[in-house]
Amino acid sequence: MKHKKFLFIALISLSAGLYGCKAIARTAAKYWTKKQIKEFVENCEERSSKLIGEEKAEKYCNCAVDKVAEKYPKFEDYKKIGIVEALKIAKDCK
């Protein structure tokens, strides 16, 4: 458990400068329901805002949800990997 927490903190720290991703049409909406998107983004923002601030977390998580939904079109599959692994997928968000 401590390993996952450390990994998450390290990932967010590395990603702090790589935030933002304004998408006019959210890619995630092609695959996930609005409720699922909201769940992902809220979970992401809750965890990352403490490390990178609320504004950066919002931009980062809005990008991350699109990247993760593209890789895992079935929300249930994303739920199996969890947020830490999901954020690794979103490493290119700027």
Side-chain angles (χ1 to χ4, degrees), residues 3-56:
H3 177 70
K4 284 187 177 183
K5 186 175 181 179
F6 174 77
L7 181 61
F8 176 76
I9 292 170
L11 178 64
I12 293 299
S13 296
L14 291 172
S15 301
L18 306 173
Y19 62 90
C21 183
K22 293 193 176 192
I24 296 170
R26 178 172 271 169
T27 303
K30 294 179 187 176
Y31 308 108
W32 295 354
T33 66
K34 288 180 183 179
K35 183 179 177 182
Q36 292 168 332
I37 293 169
K38 183 178 178 182
E39 179 182 329
F40 177 94
V41 172
E42 285 178 354
N43 190 13
C44 177
E45 287 179 353
E46 180 182 326
R47 290 172 179 242
S48 61
S49 66
K50 295 170 187 162
L51 299 169
I52 61 175
E54 286 182 27
E55 186 178 324
K56 289 179 182 179

Side-chain angles (χ1 to χ4, degrees), residues 38-89:
K38 183 178 178 182
E39 179 182 329
F40 177 94
V41 172
E42 285 178 354
N43 190 13
C44 177
E45 287 179 353
E46 180 182 326
R47 290 172 179 242
S48 61
S49 66
K50 295 170 187 162
L51 299 169
I52 61 175
E54 286 182 27
E55 186 178 324
K56 289 179 182 179
E58 181 180 347
K59 291 176 183 178
Y60 176 79
C61 294
N62 282 327
C63 176
V65 71
D66 289 335
K67 300 279 187 185
V68 174
E70 269 188 314
K71 179 144 180 131
Y72 294 97
K74 293 182 182 178
F75 190 73
E76 298 78 28
D77 293 339
Y78 146 69
K79 294 290 278 187
K80 290 176 187 173
I81 65 159
I83 193 72
V84 173
E85 290 299 316
L87 294 178
K88 287 181 185 178
I89 295 165

